[in-house]
């Protein structure tokens, strides 16, 4: 089940809409990633890439809406995609991994903070017990934001260049506006 667009406002007062991705969004998502810095592409995909391949775009738009969801963020008027936030859960919803990318000219407006909060509320409503992100040690801005939001940081097993940030979620009661059933 795909939910409609939701209006979000950042702490800076920036307003945008977020909605789940669908297969028709392939071109929009591909175009969006041409406006993400090379460094942020590396942080998002945890590898050095110059461009996002069609199969990577499809993985973000052809989601099952049950164990994975990819939210697309658009300007208030809907004319431009400004960010993406992926949530991928294990089969028991014990862990949900989040990954966010923001268009370079929309950074420092609070979009990352608001998207992470939105995904956390969504994951919590689905019954996810722990929300996690795998971060490059060099992604200081994301790690600091996650710490401010109550995530703990530890070394990622087997790779000293990465960190695992995680936060336990309370999942006993659905939040307003979020589904209380698997999607």
């Amino acid at each position: 089940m795909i939910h409609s667009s939701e209006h979000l406002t950042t702490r800076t007062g920036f307003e945008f809409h977020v909605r789940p991705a669908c297969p028709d969004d392939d071109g929009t998502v591909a175009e969006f990633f041409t406006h993400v810095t090379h460094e942020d592409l590396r942080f998002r995909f945890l590898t050095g890439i110059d461009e996002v391949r069609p199969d990577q775009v499809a993985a973000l738009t052809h989601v099952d809406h049950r164990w994975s969801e990819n939210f697309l963020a658009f300007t208030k008027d809907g004319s431009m995609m400004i960010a993406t936030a992926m949530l991928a859960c294990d089969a028991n919803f014990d862990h949900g991994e989040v990954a966010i990318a923001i268009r370079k000219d929309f950074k420092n407006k609070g979009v990352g903070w608001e998207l992470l909060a939105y995904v956390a509320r969504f994951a919590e409503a689905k019954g996810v017990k722990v929300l996690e992100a795998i971060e490059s040690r060099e992604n200081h801005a994301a790690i600091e934001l996650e710490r401010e939001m109550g995530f703990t940081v530890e070394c990622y097993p087997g790779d000293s260049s990465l960190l695992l940030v995680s936060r336990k979620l309370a999942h006993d009661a659905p939040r307003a506006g979020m589904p209380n059933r698997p999607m």
Side-chain angles (χ1 to χ4, degrees):
M1 172 188 294
I2 298 178
H3 295 278
S4 62
S5 176
E6 294 202 34
H7 175 81
L8 300 176
T9 304
T10 69
R11 297 184 299 179
T12 66
F14 180 74
E15 299 177 42
F16 64 101
H17 290 280
V18 63
R19 67 165 174 81
C22 66
D24 291 343
D25 291 317
D26 284 352
T28 301
V29 173
E31 197 275 334
F32 159 77
F33 277 115
T34 67
H35 301 282
V36 174
T37 68
H38 287 292
E39 181 180 58
D40 286 339
L41 285 176
R42 183 170 54 87
F43 291 155
R44 169 58 182 85
F45 293 96
L46 296 176
T47 187
I49 59 174
D50 290 325
E51 63 182 51
V52 180
R53 297 184 319 265
D55 63 312
Q56 291 171 306
V57 169
L60 298 173
T61 57
H62 298 250
V63 296
D64 63 30
H65 303 290
R66 179 176 170 92
W67 289 284
S68 63
E69 190 64 77
N70 189 38
F71 295 102
L72 307 181
F74 293 87
T75 53
K76 184 178 177 182
D77 66 4
S79 65
M80 181 186 312
M81 184 178 159
I82 61 170
T84 177
M86 182 80 178
L87 173 67
C89 304
D90 64 17
N92 295 320
F93 297 100
D94 291 329
H95 298 270
E97 182 182 339
V98 62
I100 295 174
I102 302 169
R103 189 180 155 120
K104 63 186 167 194
D105 48 342
F106 284 86
K107 294 181 81 170
N108 301 312
K109 295 180 182 287
V111 174
W113 176 282
E114 195 60 38
L115 272 178
L116 183 55
Y118 181 82
V119 170
R121 290 188 305 270
F122 181 85
E124 186 175 60
K126 287 181 76 67
V128 173
K129 295 174 184 74
V130 178
L131 187 61
E132 302 172 328
I134 301 169
E135 300 290 0
S136 165
R137 284 186 179 274
E138 298 173 17
N139 195 352
H140 303 290
I143 295 165
E144 183 59 30
L145 181 146
E146 290 155 340
R147 279 188 170 133
E148 289 175 13
M149 293 187 78
F151 285 74
T152 59
V153 179
E154 58 189 66
C155 294
Y156 187 80
D159 191 333
S160 62
S161 69
L162 301 175
L163 295 171
L164 178 65
V165 297
S166 62
R167 186 175 96 190
K168 290 183 181 179
L169 300 176
H171 57 279
D172 48 16
R175 299 282 187 224
M178 294 291 155
N180 62 358
R181 62 190 179 284
M183 294 184 27

